């Protein structure tokens, strides 16, 4: 397939998160003004940054016929899903809850793909009744269950088999998904037999293969290996007389983070074209992080400073329950002070920690932030993916709020959940010592 010369794309984040007169702005708004109206901690997203990320990817991939489905788990706020859906993006979901979100955001069911190792019968039934595009199947046992559910509903299930190609994505162990010991996918050697068996079943419409090797992938060569194995597998299946019209290449494209420039999207597109471009398959990718990761900040207030072993310990009001990635994946999110640091070179060293009673509630050590004091506002950068969607109420803290900026206005797209709403789910009666209070059936 003819390819244009790869063009080095330099993502210019400054366009959305930038200092104007020394004050941190998101698009046309000063963050200090937003923080006056929205109590910290909160996530703040740039709509333009998401549109930019989508256009970069779609400009690179649509000429080679690849469609894009957003991995909803990266950021599942309905306003974010709606924004991406309106740009033409499909949705990759991993639960019945995400299906509800995608539909609530107006995503057409014909553009929804259902991935995940542990789909329940109820989730499968819901997906079939909704008429989604495809279910990516991750085990032989799941094929059986999907066939049974489809038969009981009098429907045919459109499926693809998720392949474990045994490729190391060279990313953090906790976001590696395609090595032999991973729980994901079906071992590549087992695919031909299973594919033929599934294709013979009347309840199943086997459309192709899927692969997803991991997340925050920086070095693109594992993609080349994985996609080349997929091409070999498609050819082998076709040689056995099987039809393979669709190929889903998964997500995993890394983003620029701190000093890491992030992979080049034109090169990624070349790899897709060179490895699977000539198969005549309908191609799909499922990026999550790439589309939203750089588009979000987590805004927090510095509560207390104390002396630490090596510099100061800065205790902020955002914790690992709000942004779990440092605790879970050793991720280090750059920090942007609200007031641009002056004479940053000589500024003290701060270890920024959250309020949660866990030692892992620690965002790491930072320099160059200037002199900080209690009451200062800070923003963790590159927090648009796997931030709010992973947030919890651990330590009985309020579920974090989310704000979306578009041009010179903003909207709270998820308000903070208050503790009364959480407590309502719990039984406050003293049931051990008496009859339970009359209760409505669970919804
Ligand atoms: C998580 C996931 C993705 C998205 O991964 P990113 O690294 O956010 O691009 C895509 N496909 C599947 C099956 C996933 O589980």
């Amino acid at each position: 397939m003819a390819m244009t010369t790869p063009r080095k794309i330099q993502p210019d984040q400054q366009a959305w998160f930038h200092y104007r007169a020394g004050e941190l702005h998101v698009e046309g708004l000063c963050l200090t003004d937003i923080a006056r109206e929205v109590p910290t901690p909160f996530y703040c997203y740039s709509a333009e940054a998401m549109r930019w990320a989508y256009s970069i990817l779609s400009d690179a991939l649509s000429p080679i016929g690849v469609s894009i489905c957003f991995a909803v788990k990266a950021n599942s706020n309905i306003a974010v899903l709606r924004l991406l859906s309106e740009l033409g993006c499909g949705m990759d979901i991993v639960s019945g809850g995400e299906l509800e979100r995608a539909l609530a955001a107006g995503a057409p069911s014909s553009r929804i793909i259902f991935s995940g190792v542990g789909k329940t019968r109820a989730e499968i039934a819901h997906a079939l009744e909704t008429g989604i595009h495809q279910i990516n199947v991750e085990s032989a046992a799941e094929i059986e269950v999907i066939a049974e559910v489809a038969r009981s509903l009098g429907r045919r299930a459109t499926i693809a088999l998720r392949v474990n190609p045994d490729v190391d994505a060279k990313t953090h162990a906790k976001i590696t998904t395609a090595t032999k010991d991973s729980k994901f996918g079906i071992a590549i050697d087992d695919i031909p037999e299973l594919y033929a068996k599934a294709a013979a079943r009347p309840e199943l419409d086997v459309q192709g293969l899927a692969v997803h090797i991991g997340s925050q992938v920086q070095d693109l060569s594992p993609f080349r290996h994985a996609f080349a194995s997929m091409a070999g597998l498609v050819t082998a299946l076709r040689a056995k007389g099987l039809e393979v019209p669709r190929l889903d290449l998964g997500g995993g494209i890394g983003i620029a983070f701190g000093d890491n420039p992030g992979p080049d999207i034109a090169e990624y597109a070349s790899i897709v074209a060179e490895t699977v471009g000539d198969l005549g398959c309908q191609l799909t990718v499922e990026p999550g992080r790439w589309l939203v990761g750089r588009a979000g900040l987590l805004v927090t207030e510095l509560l207390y400073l104390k002396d630490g072993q090596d510099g100061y310990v800065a205790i902020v009001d955002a914790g690992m329950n709000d942004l779990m990635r440092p605790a879970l994946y050793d991720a280090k999110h750059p920090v942007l002070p609200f007031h641009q640091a002056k004479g940053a070179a000589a500024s003290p060293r701060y270890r920024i920690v959250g309020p949660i009673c866990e030692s892992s509630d620690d965002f790491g050590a930072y320099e160059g932030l200037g002199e900080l004091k209690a009451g200062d506002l800070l923003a963790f950068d590159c927090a648009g993916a796997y931030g709010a969607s992973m947030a919890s109420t651990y330590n009985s803290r309020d579920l974090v709020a989310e704000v979306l900026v578009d041009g010179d206005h903003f909207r709270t797209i998820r308000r903070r959940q208050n503790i009364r709403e959480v407590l309502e789910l719990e039984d406050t009666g003293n049931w051990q010592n008496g009859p339970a209070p009359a209760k409505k059936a669970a919804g």
Side-chain angles (χ1 to χ4, degrees):
M1 175 168 297
M3 278 296 301
T4 48
T5 4
R7 145 179 80 96
K8 186 82 191 161
I9 294 160
Q10 280 301 340
D12 181 14
Q13 193 182 19
Q14 297 311 315
W16 313 293
F17 303 121
H18 57 110
Y19 288 96
R20 192 183 296 165
E23 299 291 307
L24 184 57
H25 280 64
V26 178
E27 299 194 23
L29 293 181
C30 180
L31 252 177
T32 306
D33 293 338
I34 300 176
R36 253 195 280 276
E37 291 183 43
V38 184
T40 56
F42 64 89
Y43 280 91
C44 183
Y45 308 123
S46 156
E48 268 309 301
M50 294 181 192
R51 293 189 192 104
W52 172 86
Y54 182 78
S55 73
I56 292 288
L57 201 59
S58 113
D59 289 354
L61 294 175
S62 54
I64 51 173
V66 183
S67 58
I68 302 173
C69 284
F70 173 60
V72 171
K73 73 179 191 285
N75 187 322
S76 40
N77 188 290
I78 293 172
V80 170
L81 302 183
R82 185 178 294 281
L83 183 151
L84 291 170
S85 179
E86 283 170 0
L87 295 173
C89 193
M91 298 290 149
D92 175 58
I93 59 162
V94 293
S95 73
E98 287 190 353
L99 176 56
E100 291 296 331
R101 285 183 172 279
L103 295 173
S109 54
S110 61
R111 304 222 43 204
I112 297 176
I113 294 177
F114 192 179
S115 305
V117 282
K119 306 175 195 81
T120 65
R121 277 170 201 268
E123 286 175 321
I124 292 165
H126 187 194
L128 293 177
E129 281 163 343
T130 309
I132 66 166
H133 180 66
Q134 170 177 308
I135 300 178
N136 290 351
V137 182
E138 304 224 11
S139 63
E142 188 190 336
I143 296 180
E144 288 308 314
V145 170
I146 292 175
E148 275 172 34
V149 174
R151 192 179 329 119
S152 72
L153 293 175
R155 287 177 185 258
R156 251 184 123 203
T158 305
I159 65 167
L161 303 194
R162 174 162 172 189
V163 181
N164 180 333
D166 193 21
V167 166
D168 184 353
K170 301 194 190 98
T171 181
H172 191 279
K174 288 191 178 158
I175 43 178
T176 292
T177 59
T179 49
K180 248 195 198 112
D181 56 353
S182 158
K183 71 174 182 178
F184 297 103
I186 299 167
I188 191 162
D189 296 340
D190 298 342
I191 292 284
E193 193 189 328
L194 266 181
Y195 199 99
K197 268 196 185 158
R201 300 185 72 142
E203 311 91 338
L204 301 178
D205 176 12
V206 188
Q207 283 283 323
L209 301 170
V211 69
H212 171 68
I213 62 169
S215 200
Q216 185 55 2
V217 179
Q218 295 287 340
D219 166 10
L220 294 176
S221 57
F223 283 124
R224 185 181 288 279
H225 292 142
F227 300 166
S229 316
M230 298 296 279
L233 190 53
V234 170
T235 309
L237 294 174
R238 286 179 176 162
K240 295 175 66 166
L242 296 162
E243 285 175 29
V244 192
R246 295 183 192 168
L247 195 49
D248 175 346
L249 302 171
I253 309 164
I255 54 168
F257 227 105
D259 297 335
N260 200 323
D264 181 37
I265 294 302
E267 193 187 330
Y268 175 80
S270 308
I271 290 173
V272 172
E274 287 161 21
T275 51
V276 298
D278 288 334
L279 294 169
C281 290
Q282 277 175 48
L283 301 173
T284 304
V285 291
E286 302 165 346
R289 189 187 314 275
W290 169 264
L291 293 174
V292 294
R294 302 182 78 231
L297 305 175
L298 172 61
V299 177
T300 188
E301 182 181 325
L302 200 166
L303 297 176
Y304 301 105
L305 277 177
K306 62 179 181 180
D307 290 330
Q309 279 250 303
D310 181 17
Y312 296 102
V313 176
I315 301 150
V316 297
D317 68 357
M320 63 186 281
N321 69 302
D322 304 306
L323 178 60
M324 201 182 183
R325 301 188 65 262
L328 193 59
Y329 308 133
D330 309 314
K332 176 108 184 261
H333 287 263
V335 165
L336 305 171
F338 270 40
H339 309 293
Q340 199 160 24
K342 293 188 203 79
S347 73
R349 183 182 158 96
Y350 296 95
R351 210 175 99 220
I352 302 183
V353 302
I356 301 284
C357 299
E358 295 284 346
S359 303
S360 55
D361 187 24
D362 189 330
F363 296 99
Y366 293 85
E367 278 166 3
L369 300 178
E371 291 271 354
L372 300 180
K373 59 181 189 314
D376 281 353
L377 295 168
L378 301 168
F380 289 101
D381 197 5
C382 299
Y386 306 104
S389 63
M390 280 191 174
S392 78
T393 59
Y394 184 41
N395 276 205
S396 288
R397 286 160 51 83
D398 296 341
L399 193 61
V400 66
E402 294 169 280
V403 162
L404 180 65
V405 174
D406 197 355
D408 55 10
H409 57 274
F410 80 90
R411 224 182 144 87
T412 298
I413 55 173
R414 179 167 81 193
R415 68 168 172 81
R416 186 178 309 283
Q417 182 187 35
N418 69 48
I419 188 66
R420 282 185 308 282
E421 292 169 284
V422 177
L423 294 186
E424 245 165 47
L425 302 174
E426 295 174 32
D427 184 349
T428 51
N430 185 3
W431 56 270
Q432 295 95 329
N433 298 328
K439 264 209 313 199
K440 279 192 269 177

